């Protein structure tokens, strides 16, 4: 069975959510896509959020191995320091760690390609940090 992008996102998301400290920091909000400004007003109200955004990659010839690139975004209404705090908890969960979740038929190995940049998103009116990652995953 070929590696599926939806399963890749599930693997990354569930790996982050399986950590109780991170889950509490973001109130379980690890999302697979960016928010529209109307959604951000409620989702970002109390706690920061993480977004795992796939940005590209390629499938190997035999279709069970893929190389993907993705960005990890952390948004906060409070401060960029809060974004950095959440990212610092997420980082060791992904960096050069075997990514495996029992009920997901895929495993992978991820590493950070570019350290986080800090900014302000005018659309959702929130601070953010964003880092670029790569992962090799097989199913």
């Amino acid at each position: 069975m070929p590696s599926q992008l939806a399963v890749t996102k599930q693997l990354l998301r569930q790996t982050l959510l399986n950590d109780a400290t991170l889950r509490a920091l973001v109130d379980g909000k690890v999302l697979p896509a960016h928010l529209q400004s109307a959604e951000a007003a409620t989702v970002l109200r109390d706690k920061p959020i993480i977004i795992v955004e796939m940005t590209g990659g390629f499938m190997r010839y035999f279709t069970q191995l893929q190389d993907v690139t993705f960005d990890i975004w952390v948004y906060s209404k409070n401060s960029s320091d809060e974004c950095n705090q959440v990212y610092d908890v997420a980082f060791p969960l992904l960096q050069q760690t075997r990514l495996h979740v029992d009920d997901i038929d895929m495993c992978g190995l991820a590493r950070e390609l570019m350290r986080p940049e800090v900014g302000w998103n005018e659309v959702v009116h929130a601070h953010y940090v964003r880092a670029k990652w790569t992962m090799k995953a097989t199913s």
Side-chain angles (χ1 to χ4, degrees):
M1 178 174 169
S3 294
Q4 298 174 341
L5 195 54
V7 178
T8 307
K9 286 183 181 183
Q10 288 174 343
L11 176 64
L12 290 167
R13 183 176 181 272
Q14 198 58 52
T15 297
L16 294 171
L17 286 173
N18 281 349
D19 184 77
T21 302
L22 183 67
R23 191 172 56 250
L25 282 172
V26 298
D27 199 24
K29 295 177 188 144
V30 177
L31 308 175
H34 269 84
L35 300 168
Q36 300 301 317
S37 58
E39 295 170 315
T42 56
V43 173
L44 270 169
R45 183 177 298 140
D46 300 321
K47 298 243 183 167
I49 64 169
I50 294 177
I51 296 171
V52 178
E53 179 183 50
M54 301 312 239
T55 58
F58 59 94
M59 182 73 69
R60 300 293 177 136
Y61 292 110
F62 56 93
T63 71
Q64 277 82 26
L65 178 64
Q66 60 178 319
D67 287 273
V68 295
T69 55
F70 61 96
D71 289 346
I72 297 287
W73 296 79
V74 179
Y75 282 96
S76 169
K77 287 281 191 181
N78 295 326
S79 68
S80 59
D81 286 343
E82 185 174 49
C83 293
N84 286 324
Q85 176 192 9
V86 171
Y87 185 83
D88 287 345
V89 173
F91 176 83
L93 300 174
L94 299 176
Q95 178 68 13
Q96 292 296 107
T97 303
R98 181 175 182 256
L99 305 179
H100 174 75
V101 176
D102 286 339
D103 59 345
I104 296 176
D105 184 30
M106 180 180 288
C107 61
L109 184 69
R111 70 180 175 87
E112 186 186 66
L113 291 175
M114 187 176 84
R115 294 300 291 160
E117 66 179 26
V118 177
W120 172 260
N121 185 317
E122 194 61 44
V123 174
V124 297
H125 300 287
H127 302 273
Y128 71 83
V129 298
R130 178 192 68 164
K132 293 198 169 294
W133 287 76
T134 186
M135 178 175 70
K136 290 188 179 8
T138 187
S139 56

